[in-house]
Amino acid sequence: MAHRSIKSGFQQLSERLNQFPQGAPPSDYLFKILSVLMNEKEARVMSALPIKPFSIQTASAALRMSREDTEKILTELASRALLIDIEGTDGDRTFVLPPPMAGFFEFSLMRIRADLDQKLLSELFYQYLNVEEDFVRDLFVTETKLGRIFVNEQALSAVNNLHILDYERTSNVIKQASSIGIGMCYCRHKMSHLGKACNAPMDICMTFGTTASSLIKYGHAREVSVSECMSLLEKAYDHNLVQIGENEQEGLPFICNCCGCCCEALLAIKRFGTLNSINTTNFLPEIRNDKCNGCGKCVLACPVGALKVVSQETGNHKVIKRAVIDEEVCLGCGVCVRACNRGSITLKHRNKRVITPINSVHRIVLMSIEQGKLQNLIFDNQAHYSHRAMAAILGAILKMPLTKQIMASEQMKSKYLLALVKNYK
C-alpha cells in the first residue's frame, strides 16, 4: 500500500500564504526563508491560522489547543513580528497573520536582530524577490494595485493644493494616525547585506495605527510623535525619496520612503516595463521648454527613469537640449519638480482620475476576485463564519462594478451571491 507523504510545516505554510490575494508562490527559496524565520512547529501553527483577524478563542479552536497554550504561542509569534497583536479597549486581543509582503518579510528586517541571521535572510529575499520572477510579478503586476504613490507635497502649487484630497497627503496620514512607529527600511537594509544599498536614510520606515502599536510593543519600531514623523518626511523629501503606502483611503498601516535602486515596487516597474505595479498619483509633470536647459537634474532624480534629455534642432540649425517625460511610466511623485532649480517643471492633473479603494476590505476583495481566490477569503478556517465578517465582504462586493460582481459570483458558483447581486441592482 502506498503511503501518503506528510507535508512539512513549511510546505503547509507556503500553501497557506499562497491563498492570500497577494500570493506567495512555493519555492525552495521561500521554504528556506520560512525556516530562518521560524521552526517547524511554528510553521504548522501559522499554517492553521485564519487569513483575516482572529481572536485567541478562534485560534484555540483551529489549533485544537487550550486557550492558555494558544495565547502563549500567539504572543511568542507576535514578539517576533510574525503576527500583529491588537489590543482592544476592553482588553481583548485580536491577532492578524500579515501577508508575506507588505508584512512579515519586511518586519524581519525593520531592526537589527541577534535572533536571526539577517545576512542570510537578505540573500534569500534577494533570490526570491529580485532573481526569481513569480512572486514579484504576482504581487505587483495586477489590476488592483497593492500600493499607491503619494505626491511630494512641497512640489504642489497653490492650485494643486486646492484639488488634492486629504487621503492623498502623506502629512494628513501622519497627523490622523492614532500611533506612529518608525523602523528600518527593509529594502535598503536587505541591500546593505549584499553591498548594494544606496546612502539614503535607513531609519525612516513609517507604520501607523494598530500595526505600529504591535511593532512598538515588541520593539520592532520606535514610537514617535507627529512632529518627529513630519521631520522625517522632510528628510525623505530632501533625499528625493518617494512615499508609497498601501492602496486604500482609510486606515493605512504603513508609508515607505523609497529609492529607485532598492525598493521592490519601483524595481518592478523597471524590471517589467509596466506601470501596472503600483497606483500613481493624480498628477503629471509638465515641462516648460522656454525654461528647460537640458541639465539632466530631473533625469537623475526620477526613481523610475521616466525622464530623459533629448537633443532638438531649432529653426536656425542650432541644437538645444530639453527634458522630455514618458507619461506611461511616470509615477506623478513630484520629485523632479523639486530637483529642477530653474522652475521649468510644474505638476498638472492627469486626464483620468486614479481610483483608490476605500479600505483594506474593499482592496482585498478586489484582489481576491482578480486572482481567483475569493473562496479563500470567505471560507477561511472558521474566521468568516460570523455575520459581521461576511457582511463586510459581501458589502464590498455589492459596491463593485457589475463585471466584478459577476466574476465574484462565478468564482463562488453561489446562487445566494448571484441573487444578492441581482437584488442589489
Side-chain angles (χ1 to χ4, degrees), residues 12 41-50 54-75 77 83 381-382:
Q12 291 177 13
K41 179 183 176 182
E42 291 168 336
R44 290 187 184 278
V45 167
M46 289 188 65
S47 70
L49 295 174
F54 56 90
S55 66
I56 296 173
Q57 182 177 352
T58 299
S60 176
L63 297 173
R64 298 179 180 178
M65 296 171 56
S66 69
R67 180 183 175 88
E68 292 73 19
D69 289 343
T70 299
E71 184 169 13
K72 183 177 179 180
I73 194 167
L74 294 182
T75 301
L77 292 171
L83 295 177
N381 282 21
Q382 306 176 21

Side-chain angles (χ1 to χ4, degrees), residues 221-389:
R222 62 184 180 88
E223 187 171 15
V224 300
S225 64
V226 169
S227 176
E228 183 174 352
C229 196
M230 288 297 295
S231 295
L232 287 171
L233 178 60
E234 295 291 324
K235 188 176 182 179
Y237 286 162
D238 290 342
H239 284 81
N240 289 334
L241 299 180
V242 179
Q243 288 67 54
I244 302 180
E246 200 152 285
N247 188 25
E248 56 203 47
Q249 298 179 25
E250 303 171 353
L252 267 72
F254 71 88
I255 290 180
C256 298
N257 291 285
C258 304
C259 57
C261 53
C262 299
C263 171
E264 306 292 359
L266 300 184
L267 287 172
I269 293 174
K270 299 176 184 178
R271 184 173 183 181
F272 297 109
T274 174
L275 201 54
N276 286 343
S277 59
I278 198 161
N279 256 12
T280 67
T281 73
N282 282 297
F283 298 98
L284 277 172
E286 189 169 40
I287 300 171
R288 289 189 54 179
N289 287 335
D290 60 326
K291 288 189 175 184
C292 178
N293 67 351
C295 69
K297 290 180 179 178
C298 59
V299 176
L300 294 174
C302 180
V304 290
L307 288 152
K308 64 180 178 179
V309 173
V310 299
S311 297
Q312 299 176 343
E313 188 174 323
T314 63
N316 58 2
H317 302 292
K318 181 180 178 182
V319 176
I320 59 175
K321 291 183 176 183
R322 294 286 185 265
V324 295
I325 182 169
D326 184 346
E327 294 186 358
E328 296 299 315
V329 178
C330 179
L331 303 172
C333 63
V335 166
C336 58
V337 176
R338 296 196 65 223
C340 177
N341 58 9
R342 297 177 61 87
S344 63
I345 307 178
T346 55
L347 291 177
K348 64 177 182 178
H349 279 274
R350 293 179 186 265
N351 293 329
K352 185 177 180 181
R353 186 163 185 83
V354 179
I355 303 300
T356 302
I358 297 171
N359 52 34
S360 60
V361 172
H362 188 190
R363 176 181 57 80
I364 289 169
V365 170
L366 276 172
M367 295 181 74
S368 297
I369 291 172
E370 291 159 9
Q371 298 291 330
K373 298 178 178 179
L374 182 61
Q375 65 277 9
N376 298 335
L377 193 64
I378 294 179
F379 303 113
D380 173 38
N381 282 21
Q382 306 176 21
H384 286 292
Y385 291 154
S386 73
H387 294 296
R388 185 171 60 180

Side-chain angles (χ1 to χ4, degrees), residues 84 178-182 206-218 221-223 253:
I84 297 297
S178 58
S179 182
I180 306 172
I182 299 296
M206 303 172 180
T207 54
F208 307 104
T210 54
T211 298
S213 295
S214 182
L215 294 174
I216 292 167
K217 176 180 178 179
Y218 294 108
R222 62 184 180 88
E223 187 171 15

Side-chain angles (χ1 to χ4, degrees), residues 16 27 44 50 91 117-118 120-121 125 145 150 158 161 168 216 221 226 255 289-291 367 384 394 409 413 416 419:
R16 184 68 171 151
S27 156
R44 290 187 184 278
D117 187 339
Q118 291 183 312
L120 172 60
L121 196 57
F125 280 144
K145 315 300 189 297
F150 285 79
N161 266 311
E168 297 174 312
I216 292 167
V226 169
I255 290 180
N289 287 335
D290 60 326
K291 288 189 175 184
M367 295 181 74
H384 286 292
L394 292 174
S409 181
K413 294 182 174 61
Y416 170 63

